[in-house]
Amino acid sequence: MNVKRFAAAIAAAAVLLGLTATAPAAAQTEPSTSAEVPSEPTAAPRSQAPTAPAEADPGEGAIRQRYESMSPEERAQVGAPVGPEVVELEGLRWQDFTHARFYWTPDTAVTVVRGMIYSRFLDLGGHAELGVPITDELASSGGGRYSDFRTTDGVIHSAIYWSTRTGAHLVVGRILEHFRELGEDATFGYPATDTRLTPDGFGAYNHFVTPNAQHENASIYWTQPSGPNAVRGAIRDKWAASGWERGPLGYPITDELAAPDGVGRYNQFNGDGRFPAGIAWSPQTGAHSMQGVIAQRYIELSGPGGVLGYPTTDEQTTADGIGRYNHFTGAGGASIYWTPWAGAHEVYGGIRARWAQLGWERSYLGYPVTGESNSPLGRANEFERGFIEWHRDSGEVVDYLKN
């Protein structure tokens, strides 16, 4: 036991109980029973300089005053004092009650953390870990409750949110900021986990339950390079199935965004660090992923707002085990094919239909080595061993070998 801390706690308890620290009164003199010896006259005391009043400790009595100012309903919610006031530092006082803890600092005055949030606060290490509450418990936008905290060095801002659906969970730092930017539990969801580090130690995340869902279906992930980004719904399910951030898609580098048509949604991811990745969703196609050079080419062609439209497959391996491809909805049917020697190239519309009739990359033409481009007669793709052309005047599509 720290003796100084114990002494300070006892003194604080005396203040709480309304006791004063004045010195005891001087003992009264018994009346003399001796008549033989008369008392000597007492000399008048010398005048003394007035003593300056002792300076009160910072915050002394503030917790008691806050408690006494509460309504009967509020007192019932926090309960009765269950221990003395603790003076931990010159700028930090706290006291436990049945269902709450009161804190005082010069910056916050008296704040109260209570109920289920109080219980979770203690489970997480109390003010030694999270710092002191900088708000009382407040109502969140979606009907939950929360209290904000800040570490004593002022560096880390966090909050514990509580709802009847998910209980009490901690949300920290930039994830907390973004959660509030996204509308908090009214529009984004209720925290369903505390903020956790990712297995690689490179990022952090919280999972959430959106307002109309019955299970976890949204997340905010944070990394130093890209900050916090939100993933939800079918796109999140697809990402989870790929292995979360440990899979080939990596970390999200955008929130879920609306496609230009206002119908679909998509997220971009950091992929392998050299090439990006993405997941796009529409009601007709569901959610499908792209990665590597194919994803980069899809982005260059304006993603779901471009000629390729929405993906209808995840990235697949070709039958020969060498190439990779995704199919898309655009232009009556579209694809991007990739090989190590030719890179990634798009094929769509009538040219793609003709190539499919011939047997795709297994045909005599092989893989595409260019995207579709203008030709003297219309549009054309070059392949390893030939060409397919669409003729503007006649609408005819022809294929032929290279010379």
Side-chain angles (χ1 to χ4, degrees):
M1 170 73 68
N2 184 303
V3 175
K4 291 183 179 180
R5 181 175 294 179
F6 178 72
I10 295 299
V15 171
L16 180 65
L17 294 173
L19 303 179
T20 62
T22 56
Q28 295 182 0
T29 303
E30 291 285 340
S32 174
T33 58
S34 172
E36 294 82 15
V37 182
S39 299
E40 290 288 332
T42 303
R46 296 180 181 179
S47 60
Q48 297 181 356
T51 303
E55 186 174 333
D57 290 339
E60 184 175 345
I63 289 176
R64 174 176 55 82
Q65 291 171 7
R66 174 69 191 277
Y67 180 67
E68 290 177 350
S69 71
M70 287 181 162
S71 67
E73 292 78 12
E74 290 174 320
R75 289 193 194 182
Q77 290 173 352
V78 300
V82 294
E85 182 178 318
V86 177
V87 183
E88 188 160 318
L89 300 166
E90 184 177 348
L92 175 60
R93 292 170 174 262
W94 56 272
Q95 186 174 12
D96 280 328
F97 290 69
T98 311
H99 308 296
R101 181 178 287 180
F102 287 51
Y103 279 89
W104 174 89
T105 73
D107 295 330
T108 62
V110 178
T111 52
V112 182
V113 55
R114 64 184 185 180
M116 297 301 295
I117 293 176
Y118 168 52
S119 297
R120 188 64 186 145
F121 173 65
L122 295 184
D123 291 343
L124 292 167
H127 62 266
E129 293 295 327
L130 303 188
V132 299
I134 58 175
T135 68
D136 287 342
E137 183 179 299
L138 302 171
S140 61
S141 62
R145 308 289 293 177
Y146 72 92
S147 290
D148 278 15
F149 302 87
R150 183 171 284 119
T151 52
T152 53
D153 58 11
V155 173
I156 300 175
H157 177 202
S158 63
I160 296 176
Y161 275 77
W162 173 88
S163 73
T164 55
R165 299 184 62 187
T166 59
H169 296 288
L170 177 70
V171 191
V172 178
R174 293 291 307 284
I175 293 178
L176 172 62
E177 292 175 12
H178 201 49
F179 173 54
R180 289 176 173 172
E181 290 167 356
L182 293 168
E184 218 180 30
D185 47 7
T187 55
F188 187 75
Y190 302 89
T193 68
D194 296 330
T195 299
R196 301 168 176 169
L197 289 176
T198 53
D200 61 8
F202 189 64
Y205 67 94
N206 280 77
H207 295 323
F208 299 83
V209 176
T210 58
N212 296 321
Q214 301 301 316
H215 57 84
E216 292 178 12
N217 65 337
S219 301
I220 298 176
Y221 273 70
W222 170 90
T223 63
Q224 184 64 42
S226 58
N229 292 289
V231 190
R232 63 183 93 183
I235 291 177
R236 178 182 181 271
D237 292 343
K238 175 62 71 173
W239 183 47
S242 76
W244 301 99
E245 76 284 351
R246 302 184 299 278
L249 304 181
Y251 284 93
I253 58 173
T254 69
D255 286 339
E256 183 182 296
L257 302 173
D261 63 6
V263 175
R265 311 286 292 179
Y266 68 96
N267 277 78
Q268 291 186 25
F269 297 81
N270 68 353
D272 63 4
R274 295 180 305 147
F275 296 105
I279 299 174
W281 169 90
S282 76
Q284 294 76 29
T285 61
H288 296 287
S289 63
M290 299 141 289
Q291 59 200 65
V293 184
I294 291 178
Q296 179 174 280
R297 185 60 180 156
Y298 182 61
I299 293 169
E300 290 170 352
L301 293 169
S302 301
V307 67
L308 300 181
Y310 292 94
T312 59
T313 68
D314 297 333
E315 185 177 301
Q316 306 288 324
T317 302
T318 54
D320 59 12
I322 297 173
R324 307 282 291 176
Y325 68 93
N326 280 81
H327 293 324
F328 301 87
T329 59
S335 301
I336 298 177
Y337 273 73
W338 170 88
T339 62
W341 58 86
H345 300 287
E346 68 281 3
V347 187
Y348 53 85
I351 292 176
R352 177 183 180 270
R354 180 60 177 162
W355 186 47
Q357 290 172 354
L358 295 170
W360 303 99
E361 75 281 354
R362 299 185 300 278
S363 70
Y364 80 92
L365 294 173
Y367 286 94
V369 297
T370 71
E372 185 177 304
S373 61
N374 289 326
S375 70
L377 297 177
R379 303 281 289 174
N381 274 81
E382 181 181 355
F383 294 81
E384 291 178 283
R385 293 180 289 275
F387 296 87
I388 299 178
E389 286 187 343
W390 169 78
H391 294 169
R392 182 179 298 106
D393 292 340
S394 64
E396 185 180 14
V397 179
V398 297
D399 56 275
Y400 55 93
L401 282 168
K402 292 180 178 178
N403 293 331

